[in-house]
Amino acid sequence: MKHQVPHALGQAKAKQIAIQALDSYKKRFGEYDPRCEWVSENLARIGFSVKGVKLNGSIEVLPSAFELDLDVPFLLRPFKGKAIGVIEEEIKKWIAKAE
């Protein structure tokens, strides 16, 4: 399931914000083994581990939105909506800082 968070930053500025946010999370949440790999100009594969469970997904920087896609193991799917909500709120904070 893909989820979009709109922004009015333009693609280049939005990518800078995404890079800053992802770098910040690597430092703040090192115990969760956060991973980020830019696989194309505007698409990053992301992942982290929580209590031995690996979660993976992607974030794509579009001209007017961030598009999230989170792969959640079957047993954790009831929490997917909550996870997307938390991620969306974090993205909105970074967007507000950049505006």
Side-chain angles (χ1 to χ4, degrees):
M1 176 181 100
K2 293 187 179 186
H3 180 79
Q4 289 193 351
V5 180
H7 66 76
L9 302 173
Q11 198 165 21
K13 178 85 171 178
K15 182 174 179 187
Q16 290 175 345
I17 296 305
I19 290 169
Q20 290 173 2
L22 293 167
D23 285 346
S24 169
Y25 296 138
K26 282 183 184 179
K27 293 174 186 167
R28 285 180 40 204
F29 302 110
E31 69 271 19
Y32 298 112
D33 187 29
R35 299 171 304 283
C36 175
E37 176 188 3
W38 289 91
V39 294
S40 71
E41 182 63 27
N42 294 304
L43 177 67
R45 299 273 181 235
I46 57 174
F48 58 96
S49 299
V50 178
K51 296 185 180 187
V53 177
K54 291 186 179 188
L55 300 171
N56 297 296
S58 65
I59 184 165
E60 185 170 7
V61 181
L62 302 172
S64 61
F66 292 98
E67 186 170 86
L68 304 169
D69 193 7
L70 190 59
D71 300 324
V72 178
F74 181 74
L75 293 175
L76 298 177
R77 286 197 182 143
F79 304 103
K80 185 173 184 174
K82 175 78 171 159
I84 292 289
V86 169
I87 294 168
E88 181 174 347
E89 288 304 311
E90 284 296 312
I91 291 171
K92 287 180 178 178
K93 288 177 189 175
W94 283 93
I95 291 170
K97 285 182 192 178
E99 294 180 327

Coordinates of all heavy atoms in Angstrom, one line a residue:
M1 N 0.8 -1.2 0.0 CA 0.0 0.0 0.0 C 0.9 1.2 0.0 O 1.8 1.4 0.8 CB -0.9 0.0 1.2 CG -1.7 1.2 1.4 SD -2.7 1.2 2.9 CE -1.8 2.2 4.0
K2 N 0.6 2.1 -0.9 CA 1.4 3.4 -1.0 C 0.6 4.5 -0.3 O -0.6 4.5 -0.4 CB 1.7 3.7 -2.4 CG 2.7 2.7 -3.0 CD 3.2 3.1 -4.4 CE 4.2 2.1 -4.9 NZ 4.8 2.4 -6.2
H3 N 1.3 5.3 0.3 CA 0.7 6.5 1.0 C 1.5 7.7 0.7 O 2.7 7.8 0.7 CB 0.8 6.2 2.5 CG 0.2 7.3 3.4 ND1 -1.2 7.4 3.5 CD2 0.7 8.3 4.0 CE1 -1.5 8.4 4.3 NE2 -0.3 9.0 4.6
Q4 N 0.7 8.8 0.3 CA 1.4 10.0 -0.1 C 1.2 11.1 1.0 O 0.1 11.2 1.6 CB 0.8 10.5 -1.4 CG 1.3 9.7 -2.6 CD 1.0 10.3 -3.9 OE1 0.4 11.3 -4.0 NE2 1.6 9.8 -5.0
V5 N 2.2 11.9 1.2 CA 2.2 13.0 2.1 C 2.5 14.3 1.2 O 3.6 14.4 0.7 CB 3.2 12.9 3.2 CG1 3.1 14.2 4.1 CG2 3.0 11.7 4.0
P6 N 1.5 15.1 0.9 CA 1.8 16.3 0.0 C 2.7 17.3 0.6 O 2.9 17.4 1.8 CB 0.4 16.9 -0.2 CG -0.4 16.4 1.0 CD 0.2 15.1 1.5
H7 N 3.4 18.0 -0.3 CA 4.3 19.1 0.1 C 4.3 20.1 -1.0 O 3.9 19.8 -2.1 CB 5.7 18.6 0.4 CG 6.4 18.1 -0.8 ND1 7.0 18.9 -1.8 CD2 6.7 16.8 -1.2 CE1 7.6 18.1 -2.7 NE2 7.4 16.9 -2.4
A8 N 4.8 21.3 -0.7 CA 4.8 22.4 -1.7 C 6.3 22.9 -1.8 O 6.5 24.1 -2.1 CB 3.9 23.5 -1.3
L9 N 7.2 22.0 -1.6 CA 8.6 22.4 -1.5 C 9.3 22.3 -2.9 O 10.4 22.9 -3.0 CB 9.4 21.4 -0.6 CG 8.9 21.4 0.9 CD1 9.6 20.3 1.7 CD2 9.0 22.7 1.5
G10 N 8.8 21.6 -3.8 CA 9.5 21.3 -5.1 C 10.3 20.1 -4.9 O 10.7 19.7 -3.7
Q11 N 10.6 19.4 -5.9 CA 11.3 18.1 -5.8 C 12.7 18.2 -5.2 O 13.1 17.4 -4.4 CB 11.3 17.4 -7.1 CG 11.6 15.9 -7.0 CD 11.2 15.2 -8.3 OE1 11.1 15.8 -9.4 NE2 11.0 13.9 -8.2
A12 N 13.5 19.2 -5.7 CA 14.9 19.3 -5.2 C 14.9 19.6 -3.7 O 15.7 18.9 -3.0 CB 15.6 20.4 -6.0
K13 N 14.2 20.5 -3.3 CA 14.2 20.9 -1.9 C 13.6 19.7 -1.0 O 14.1 19.4 0.0 CB 13.3 22.1 -1.6 CG 13.2 22.6 -0.2 CD 14.3 23.4 0.2 CE 14.0 24.0 1.6 NZ 15.1 24.8 2.1
A14 N 12.6 19.1 -1.5 CA 12.0 17.9 -0.8 C 13.0 16.8 -0.7 O 13.1 16.2 0.4 CB 10.8 17.4 -1.5
K15 N 13.9 16.6 -1.7 CA 14.9 15.5 -1.6 C 15.9 15.9 -0.5 O 16.3 15.1 0.3 CB 15.6 15.3 -2.9 CG 16.6 14.1 -2.7 CD 17.2 13.7 -4.0 CE 18.2 12.6 -3.7 NZ 19.0 12.2 -4.8
Q16 N 16.3 17.2 -0.5 CA 17.2 17.6 0.6 C 16.7 17.4 2.0 O 17.4 16.9 2.9 CB 17.5 19.1 0.4 CG 18.4 19.5 -0.8 CD 18.5 21.0 -0.9 OE1 17.8 21.8 -0.3 NE2 19.5 21.4 -1.7
I17 N 15.4 17.7 2.1 CA 14.7 17.4 3.4 C 14.7 15.9 3.7 O 14.9 15.5 4.9 CB 13.3 18.0 3.4 CG1 13.3 19.5 3.3 CG2 12.5 17.6 4.6 CD1 14.2 20.3 4.3
A18 N 14.4 15.1 2.8 CA 14.4 13.7 3.0 C 15.8 13.2 3.4 O 15.9 12.3 4.3 CB 13.9 12.9 1.7
I19 N 16.8 13.6 2.7 CA 18.2 13.2 3.1 C 18.5 13.6 4.5 O 19.0 12.8 5.3 CB 19.2 13.8 2.1 CG1 19.1 13.1 0.7 CG2 20.6 13.7 2.6 CD1 19.8 13.8 -0.4
Q20 N 18.2 14.9 4.9 CA 18.4 15.4 6.3 C 17.6 14.5 7.3 O 18.2 14.1 8.3 CB 18.0 16.8 6.4 CG 18.9 17.8 5.7 CD 18.4 19.2 5.7 OE1 17.3 19.5 6.3 NE2 19.1 20.1 5.0
A21 N 16.4 14.2 7.0 CA 15.6 13.5 8.0 C 16.1 12.1 8.1 O 16.2 11.6 9.2 CB 14.1 13.5 7.5
L22 N 16.4 11.4 7.0 CA 16.9 10.0 7.1 C 18.2 10.0 7.8 O 18.4 9.0 8.6 CB 16.9 9.4 5.7 CG 15.6 9.2 5.0 CD1 15.7 8.9 3.6 CD2 14.8 8.1 5.8
D23 N 19.1 10.9 7.6 CA 20.4 11.0 8.3 C 20.2 11.2 9.8 O 20.9 10.6 10.6 CB 21.3 12.0 7.7 CG 21.9 11.7 6.3 OD1 21.8 10.5 6.0 OD2 22.4 12.6 5.7
S24 N 19.2 12.1 10.1 CA 18.9 12.3 11.5 C 18.4 11.1 12.2 O 18.8 10.8 13.3 CB 17.9 13.4 11.6 OG 17.4 13.5 12.9
Y25 N 17.6 10.3 11.5 CA 17.0 9.1 12.1 C 18.1 8.0 12.3 O 18.0 7.3 13.3 CB 15.9 8.6 11.4 CG 14.7 9.5 11.3 CD1 14.0 9.8 10.2 CD2 14.4 10.3 12.5 CE1 12.9 10.7 10.2 CE2 13.3 11.2 12.5 CZ 12.6 11.4 11.4 OH 11.6 12.3 11.4
K26 N 19.1 8.0 11.4 CA 20.2 7.0 11.6 C 20.9 7.3 12.9 O 21.3 6.3 13.6 CB 21.1 7.1 10.4 CG 20.6 6.4 9.1 CD 21.7 6.5 8.1 CE 21.3 6.0 6.7 NZ 22.3 6.1 5.7
K27 N 21.1 8.5 13.2 CA 21.8 8.9 14.4 C 21.0 8.7 15.6 O 21.4 8.2 16.7 CB 22.3 10.3 14.3 CG 23.4 10.6 13.2 CD 23.7 12.0 13.1 CE 24.7 12.2 11.9 NZ 24.8 13.6 11.5
R28 N 19.7 9.2 15.6 CA 18.8 9.1 16.8 C 18.4 7.7 17.1 O 18.1 7.4 18.3 CB 17.6 10.0 16.5 CG 17.9 11.5 16.6 CD 16.7 12.3 16.4 NE 15.4 11.9 16.9 CZ 14.3 12.2 16.5 NH1 14.1 13.0 15.4 NH2 13.2 11.7 17.0
F29 N 18.2 6.9 16.1 CA 17.6 5.5 16.4 C 18.6 4.4 15.9 O 18.2 3.4 15.4 CB 16.3 5.4 15.6 CG 15.3 6.5 16.0 CD1 14.9 7.5 15.2 CD2 14.8 6.4 17.3 CE1 14.0 8.4 15.6 CE2 13.9 7.4 17.7 CZ 13.5 8.4 16.8
G30 N 19.9 4.6 16.2 CA 20.9 3.6 15.8 C 20.6 2.2 16.3 O 21.0 1.2 15.7
E31 N 19.9 2.1 17.5 CA 19.7 0.8 18.0 C 18.7 0.0 17.2 O 18.6 -1.3 17.4 CB 19.2 0.9 19.5 CG 17.8 1.5 19.6 CD 17.8 3.0 19.8 OE1 18.8 3.7 19.4 OE2 16.7 3.5 20.2
Y32 N 18.0 0.6 16.3 CA 17.0 -0.1 15.4 C 17.6 -0.4 14.0 O 16.9 -0.8 13.1 CB 15.8 0.7 15.3 CG 15.1 0.9 16.6 CD1 15.0 2.2 17.1 CD2 14.5 -0.1 17.3 CE1 14.3 2.4 18.3 CE2 13.9 0.0 18.5 CZ 13.8 1.3 19.0 OH 13.2 1.5 20.2
D33 N 18.9 -0.2 13.9 CA 19.6 -0.5 12.7 C 19.0 0.1 11.4 O 18.6 -0.6 10.5 CB 19.8 -2.1 12.5 CG 20.6 -2.5 11.3 OD1 21.6 -1.7 11.0 OD2 20.4 -3.5 10.7
P34 N 18.7 1.4 11.5 CA 18.1 2.0 10.3 C 19.0 2.0 9.1 O 20.2 2.2 9.2 CB 17.9 3.5 10.8 CG 18.9 3.7 11.9 CD 19.1 2.4 12.5
R35 N 18.4 1.7 7.9 CA 19.1 1.6 6.7 C 18.4 2.5 5.6 O 17.2 2.6 5.6 CB 19.1 0.2 6.2 CG 19.8 -0.8 7.2 CD 19.6 -2.3 6.8 NE 18.3 -2.7 6.6 CZ 17.4 -3.0 7.6 NH1 17.8 -2.8 8.9 NH2 16.2 -3.5 7.4
C36 N 19.2 3.1 4.8 CA 18.7 3.9 3.7 C 19.7 3.8 2.5 O 20.9 4.0 2.7 CB 18.6 5.4 4.1 SG 18.1 6.5 2.8
E37 N 19.2 3.5 1.4 CA 20.0 3.4 0.2 C 19.2 4.0 -1.0 O 18.1 3.6 -1.3 CB 20.2 1.9 -0.2 CG 21.0 1.8 -1.5 CD 21.1 0.3 -1.9 OE1 20.5 -0.6 -1.3 OE2 21.7 0.1 -3.0
W38 N 19.8 5.1 -1.5 CA 19.2 5.8 -2.7 C 19.4 4.9 -3.9 O 20.5 4.7 -4.3 CB 19.7 7.2 -2.9 CG 19.2 8.1 -1.8 CD1 19.8 8.3 -0.6 CD2 18.0 8.8 -1.7 NE1 19.1 9.2 0.2 CE2 17.9 9.4 -0.5 CE3 16.9 8.9 -2.6 CZ2 16.8 10.2 -0.1 CZ3 15.8 9.7 -2.3 CH2 15.8 10.4 -1.0
V39 N 18.3 4.3 -4.5 CA 18.5 3.4 -5.6 C 18.2 4.1 -6.9 O 18.5 3.6 -8.0 CB 17.5 2.2 -5.5 CG1 17.9 1.4 -4.3 CG2 16.1 2.6 -5.4
S40 N 17.7 5.3 -6.9 CA 17.6 6.2 -8.1 C 17.7 7.6 -7.6 O 17.8 7.9 -6.4 CB 16.3 5.9 -8.9 OG 15.2 6.4 -8.2
E41 N 17.5 8.6 -8.5 CA 17.6 10.0 -8.1 C 16.6 10.4 -7.0 O 17.0 11.2 -6.1 CB 17.4 10.8 -9.4 CG 17.5 12.3 -9.1 CD 18.8 12.8 -8.7 OE1 19.8 12.1 -9.1 OE2 18.9 13.8 -8.0
N42 N 15.4 9.8 -7.0 CA 14.4 10.2 -6.1 C 13.8 9.1 -5.3 O 12.7 9.3 -4.7 CB 13.3 11.0 -6.8 CG 13.9 12.3 -7.3 OD1 14.5 13.1 -6.6 ND2 13.8 12.5 -8.6
L43 N 14.3 7.9 -5.3 CA 13.8 6.7 -4.6 C 14.8 6.1 -3.7 O 15.9 5.8 -4.1 CB 13.3 5.7 -5.6 CG 12.7 4.4 -5.0 CD1 11.4 4.7 -4.3 CD2 12.5 3.4 -6.1
A44 N 14.4 6.0 -2.4 CA 15.3 5.4 -1.4 C 14.6 4.2 -0.8 O 13.4 4.2 -0.5 CB 15.6 6.4 -0.3
R45 N 15.4 3.1 -0.7 CA 14.9 1.9 0.0 C 15.3 2.2 1.5 O 16.5 2.5 1.8 CB 15.6 0.7 -0.5 CG 15.3 0.4 -1.9 CD 14.1 -0.4 -2.1 NE 13.9 -0.7 -3.5 CZ 12.7 -0.3 -4.2 NH1 11.8 0.2 -3.5 NH2 12.6 -0.6 -5.4
I46 N 14.4 1.9 2.4 CA 14.6 2.2 3.8 C 14.3 0.9 4.6 O 13.5 0.0 4.1 CB 13.8 3.4 4.3 CG1 12.3 3.2 4.1 CG2 14.3 4.7 3.7 CD1 11.4 4.2 4.7
G47 N 14.8 0.8 5.8 CA 14.5 -0.4 6.6 C 15.0 -0.2 8.0 O 15.9 0.7 8.3
F48 N 14.5 -1.0 8.9 CA 15.0 -1.0 10.3 C 14.5 -2.3 11.0 O 13.7 -3.0 10.4 CB 14.5 0.3 11.1 CG 13.0 0.4 11.1 CD1 12.2 -0.1 12.2 CD2 12.3 1.0 10.1 CE1 10.9 0.1 12.2 CE2 10.9 1.2 10.1 CZ 10.2 0.7 11.2
S49 N 15.1 -2.5 12.1 CA 14.7 -3.8 12.8 C 14.2 -3.4 14.2 O 14.8 -2.6 14.9 CB 16.0 -4.6 13.0 OG 16.5 -5.0 11.8
V50 N 13.1 -4.1 14.6 CA 12.6 -3.9 15.9 C 12.3 -5.3 16.6 O 11.6 -6.1 16.0 CB 11.2 -3.1 15.9 CG1 10.6 -3.0 17.3 CG2 11.4 -1.8 15.2
K51 N 13.0 -5.5 17.7 CA 12.9 -6.8 18.4 C 13.1 -8.0 17.4 O 12.3 -8.9 17.5 CB 11.6 -6.9 19.1 CG 11.5 -5.8 20.2 CD 10.2 -6.0 21.0 CE 10.2 -4.9 22.1 NZ 9.1 -5.0 23.0
G52 N 14.1 -7.9 16.6 CA 14.3 -9.0 15.7 C 13.5 -9.1 14.4 O 13.7 -9.9 13.5
V53 N 12.5 -8.2 14.3 CA 11.7 -8.1 13.1 C 12.2 -7.0 12.2 O 12.4 -5.9 12.6 CB 10.2 -7.9 13.5 CG1 9.4 -7.8 12.2 CG2 9.7 -9.0 14.4
K54 N 12.5 -7.4 10.9 CA 13.0 -6.4 10.0 C 11.8 -5.8 9.2 O 10.9 -6.6 8.7 CB 14.0 -7.0 9.0 CG 15.3 -7.4 9.7 CD 16.3 -7.9 8.7 CE 17.6 -8.2 9.4 NZ 18.7 -8.5 8.6
L55 N 11.7 -4.5 9.1 CA 10.7 -3.8 8.3 C 11.4 -3.1 7.2 O 12.5 -2.4 7.4 CB 10.0 -2.8 9.2 CG 9.2 -3.5 10.4 CD1 8.7 -2.4 11.3 CD2 8.1 -4.3 9.9
N56 N 10.9 -3.2 6.0 CA 11.5 -2.5 4.8 C 10.4 -1.8 4.1 O 9.2 -2.0 4.2 CB 12.1 -3.6 3.9 CG 13.2 -4.3 4.6 OD1 14.2 -3.8 4.9 ND2 13.0 -5.6 4.8
G57 N 10.9 -0.8 3.3 CA 10.0 0.0 2.5 C 10.7 0.9 1.6 O 11.9 0.7 1.4
S58 N 10.0 1.9 1.1 CA 10.7 2.9 0.3 C 10.0 4.2 0.5 O 8.9 4.3 1.0 CB 10.6 2.5 -1.2 OG 9.2 2.5 -1.6
I59 N 10.8 5.3 0.1 CA 10.2 6.6 0.1 C 10.7 7.2 -1.2 O 11.8 7.1 -1.6 CB 10.7 7.5 1.3 CG1 10.0 8.8 1.3 CG2 12.2 7.6 1.4 CD1 10.1 9.6 2.6
E60 N 9.7 7.7 -1.9 CA 10.0 8.4 -3.2 C 9.6 9.8 -3.1 O 8.6 10.2 -2.6 CB 9.2 7.7 -4.3 CG 9.5 8.3 -5.7 CD 8.9 7.5 -6.9 OE1 8.1 6.6 -6.6 OE2 9.3 7.8 -8.0
V61 N 10.5 10.7 -3.6 CA 10.3 12.1 -3.6 C 9.8 12.5 -4.9 O 10.4 12.5 -5.9 CB 11.7 12.9 -3.3 CG1 11.4 14.4 -3.2 CG2 12.3 12.4 -2.0
L62 N 8.5 12.9 -4.9 CA 7.8 13.3 -6.1 C 7.7 14.8 -6.1 O 8.0 15.5 -5.1 CB 6.4 12.7 -6.1 CG 6.3 11.2 -6.0 CD1 4.8 10.8 -5.9 CD2 6.9 10.6 -7.3
P63 N 7.4 15.5 -7.2 CA 7.4 16.9 -7.3 C 6.5 17.6 -6.2 O 6.8 18.7 -5.8 CB 6.9 17.2 -8.7 CG 7.3 16.0 -9.5 CD 7.2 14.9 -8.5
S64 N 5.4 16.9 -5.8 CA 4.5 17.6 -4.9 C 4.1 16.7 -3.7 O 3.1 16.9 -3.0 CB 3.2 18.1 -5.6 OG 2.5 17.0 -6.2
A65 N 4.8 15.5 -3.5 CA 4.5 14.6 -2.4 C 5.6 13.7 -2.2 O 6.5 13.5 -3.0 CB 3.2 13.8 -2.8
F66 N 5.6 13.2 -0.9 CA 6.5 12.1 -0.6 C 5.6 10.8 -0.7 O 4.5 10.8 -0.1 CB 7.0 12.2 0.9 CG 8.0 13.3 1.1 CD1 7.5 14.5 1.6 CD2 9.3 13.2 0.8 CE1 8.4 15.6 1.8 CE2 10.2 14.2 1.0 CZ 9.7 15.4 1.5
E67 N 6.1 9.8 -1.3 CA 5.3 8.6 -1.4 C 6.0 7.5 -0.6 O 7.1 7.1 -0.9 CB 5.1 8.1 -2.9 CG 4.2 7.0 -3.0 CD 3.9 6.7 -4.5 OE1 4.7 6.0 -5.1 OE2 2.8 7.2 -5.0
L68 N 5.2 6.9 0.4 CA 5.8 5.9 1.3 C 5.2 4.6 0.9 O 4.0 4.5 0.5 CB 5.3 6.2 2.7 CG 5.7 7.5 3.3 CD1 5.0 7.7 4.6 CD2 7.2 7.6 3.5
D69 N 6.0 3.5 0.9 CA 5.5 2.2 0.7 C 6.2 1.3 1.8 O 7.4 1.2 1.8 CB 5.8 1.7 -0.7 CG 5.1 0.4 -1.0 OD1 4.2 0.0 -0.2 OD2 5.4 -0.1 -2.1
L70 N 5.5 0.8 2.7 CA 6.0 0.0 3.8 C 5.6 -1.4 3.7 O 4.4 -1.7 3.6 CB 5.5 0.6 5.1 CG 6.2 0.2 6.4 CD1 7.7 0.4 6.4 CD2 5.5 0.9 7.6
D71 N 6.6 -2.3 3.7 CA 6.3 -3.8 3.7 C 6.3 -4.2 5.1 O 7.3 -4.2 5.8 CB 7.4 -4.5 2.9 CG 7.6 -4.1 1.5 OD1 6.5 -3.8 0.9 OD2 8.7 -4.1 1.0
V72 N 5.1 -4.7 5.6 CA 4.9 -5.1 6.9 C 4.7 -6.6 7.0 O 3.8 -7.0 6.3 CB 3.8 -4.3 7.6 CG1 3.6 -4.7 9.0 CG2 4.1 -2.8 7.5
P73 N 5.4 -7.3 7.8 CA 5.1 -8.7 8.0 C 3.6 -9.0 8.4 O 3.0 -8.1 9.1 CB 6.1 -9.2 9.1 CG 7.1 -8.2 9.1 CD 6.5 -6.9 8.7
F74 N 3.1 -10.1 8.0 CA 1.7 -10.4 8.2 C 1.3 -10.2 9.6 O 0.2 -9.6 9.9 CB 1.4 -11.9 7.8 CG 0.0 -12.3 7.9 CD1 -1.0 -11.8 7.1 CD2 -0.4 -13.1 9.0 CE1 -2.3 -12.1 7.3 CE2 -1.7 -13.4 9.2 CZ -2.7 -13.0 8.3
L75 N 2.0 -10.7 10.6 CA 1.7 -10.6 12.0 C 1.6 -9.1 12.5 O 0.9 -8.9 13.5 CB 2.6 -11.4 12.9 CG 2.5 -12.9 12.7 CD1 3.6 -13.6 13.5 CD2 1.2 -13.4 13.0
L76 N 2.3 -8.2 11.9 CA 2.3 -6.8 12.3 C 1.4 -5.9 11.5 O 1.3 -4.8 11.8 CB 3.7 -6.3 12.3 CG 4.7 -7.0 13.2 CD1 6.1 -6.4 13.0 CD2 4.3 -6.9 14.6
R77 N 0.7 -6.5 10.5 CA -0.2 -5.7 9.7 C -1.3 -4.9 10.4 O -1.6 -3.8 10.0 CB -0.8 -6.5 8.6 CG 0.2 -6.9 7.5 CD -0.4 -7.3 6.3 NE 0.8 -7.6 5.4 CZ 0.8 -8.6 4.5 NH1 -0.3 -9.4 4.4 NH2 1.8 -8.8 3.8
P78 N -1.8 -5.4 11.6 CA -2.7 -4.5 12.3 C -2.1 -3.2 12.8 O -2.9 -2.2 13.0 CB -3.1 -5.4 13.5 CG -2.9 -6.8 13.1 CD -1.7 -6.7 12.2
F79 N -0.8 -3.1 12.8 CA -0.1 -1.9 13.3 C 0.3 -1.0 12.1 O 0.9 0.1 12.3 CB 1.1 -2.2 14.2 CG 0.7 -3.1 15.3 CD1 0.9 -4.4 15.4 CD2 0.0 -2.5 16.4 CE1 0.6 -5.2 16.4 CE2 -0.3 -3.3 17.5 CZ -0.1 -4.6 17.5
K80 N 0.1 -1.4 10.9 CA 0.6 -0.7 9.7 C 0.0 0.7 9.7 O 0.8 1.7 9.4 CB 0.3 -1.4 8.4 CG 0.9 -0.8 7.2 CD 0.7 -1.7 6.0 CE 1.4 -1.0 4.8 NZ 1.4 -1.9 3.6
G81 N -1.3 0.9 9.9 CA -1.9 2.2 9.9 C -1.3 3.1 10.9 O -1.0 4.3 10.6
K82 N -1.0 2.6 12.1 CA -0.4 3.4 13.1 C 1.0 3.8 12.7 O 1.4 5.0 12.9 CB -0.3 2.6 14.4 CG 0.4 3.2 15.5 CD -0.4 4.3 16.2 CE 0.3 4.8 17.5 NZ -0.1 6.0 17.9
A83 N 1.8 2.9 12.1 CA 3.2 3.2 11.7 C 3.1 4.3 10.6 O 3.9 5.2 10.6 CB 3.8 1.9 11.2
I84 N 2.2 4.2 9.6 CA 2.1 5.2 8.6 C 1.8 6.5 9.2 O 2.3 7.5 8.8 CB 1.1 4.7 7.5 CG1 1.6 3.5 6.7 CG2 0.8 5.9 6.5 CD1 2.7 3.7 5.8
G85 N 0.9 6.5 10.1 CA 0.5 7.8 10.8 C 1.7 8.5 11.5 O 1.8 9.7 11.4
V86 N 2.5 7.7 12.2 CA 3.6 8.2 12.9 C 4.6 8.8 11.8 O 5.2 9.9 12.0 CB 4.3 7.2 13.8 CG1 5.7 7.6 14.3 CG2 3.4 6.8 14.9
I87 N 4.9 8.0 10.8 CA 5.8 8.5 9.7 C 5.3 9.8 9.1 O 6.1 10.7 8.8 CB 6.1 7.4 8.7 CG1 6.8 6.2 9.4 CG2 6.9 7.9 7.5 CD1 6.8 4.9 8.5
E88 N 4.0 9.8 8.8 CA 3.4 11.0 8.2 C 3.6 12.2 9.0 O 3.9 13.3 8.6 CB 1.9 10.8 7.9 CG 1.3 12.0 7.2 CD -0.1 11.7 6.8 OE1 -0.6 10.6 6.7 OE2 -0.8 12.7 6.4
E89 N 3.4 12.1 10.3 CA 3.6 13.2 11.2 C 5.0 13.7 11.3 O 5.3 14.9 11.3 CB 3.1 12.9 12.7 CG 1.6 12.8 12.8 CD 0.9 14.0 12.3 OE1 1.2 15.1 12.8 OE2 -0.1 13.9 11.6
E90 N 6.0 12.8 11.2 CA 7.4 13.1 11.2 C 7.7 13.9 9.9 O 8.4 14.9 9.9 CB 8.3 11.9 11.3 CG 8.4 11.4 12.7 CD 9.0 12.3 13.6 OE1 10.1 12.9 13.3 OE2 8.5 12.6 14.7
I91 N 7.1 13.4 8.8 CA 7.4 14.1 7.5 C 6.8 15.5 7.5 O 7.4 16.5 7.1 CB 6.8 13.3 6.3 CG1 7.6 12.0 6.1 CG2 6.7 14.1 5.0 CD1 6.9 11.0 5.1
K92 N 5.6 15.6 8.1 CA 5.0 17.0 8.2 C 5.8 17.9 9.0 O 5.9 19.1 8.7 CB 3.6 16.9 8.7 CG 2.6 16.3 7.7 CD 1.2 16.2 8.3 CE 0.2 15.6 7.3 NZ -1.1 15.5 7.9
K93 N 6.5 17.4 10.0 CA 7.3 18.3 10.9 C 8.5 18.8 10.0 O 8.9 19.9 10.1 CB 7.9 17.5 12.1 CG 6.8 17.3 13.1 CD 7.4 16.4 14.3 CE 6.3 16.0 15.2 NZ 6.8 15.1 16.3
W94 N 9.1 17.9 9.3 CA 10.3 18.3 8.4 C 9.8 19.2 7.3 O 10.6 20.2 7.0 CB 10.9 17.0 7.8 CG 11.8 16.3 8.8 CD1 11.4 15.3 9.6 CD2 13.2 16.6 9.1 NE1 12.5 14.9 10.4 CE2 13.6 15.7 10.1 CE3 14.1 17.5 8.7 CZ2 14.8 15.7 10.7 CZ3 15.4 17.5 9.2 CH2 15.7 16.6 10.2
I95 N 8.7 19.0 6.8 CA 8.1 20.0 5.8 C 7.9 21.4 6.4 O 8.3 22.4 5.8 CB 6.8 19.5 5.2 CG1 7.1 18.2 4.3 CG2 6.1 20.5 4.3 CD1 5.8 17.5 3.9
A96 N 7.4 21.4 7.6 CA 7.1 22.7 8.3 C 8.4 23.4 8.5 O 8.5 24.6 8.4 CB 6.3 22.4 9.5
K97 N 9.5 22.7 8.9 CA 10.8 23.3 9.2 C 11.3 23.9 7.9 O 12.0 25.0 7.9 CB 11.8 22.3 9.7 CG 11.6 21.8 11.1 CD 12.7 20.8 11.4 CE 12.4 20.1 12.7 NZ 13.5 19.1 13.0
A98 N 11.1 23.3 6.8 CA 11.6 23.7 5.5 C 10.9 24.9 4.9 O 11.4 25.6 4.0 CB 11.7 22.6 4.5
E99 N 9.6 25.1 5.3 CA 8.8 26.1 4.6 C 9.2 27.5 5.2 O 9.7 27.7 6.2 CB 7.3 25.9 4.8 CG 6.9 24.6 4.1 CD 5.4 24.3 4.2 OE1 4.8 24.5 5.3 OE2 4.9 23.8 3.2

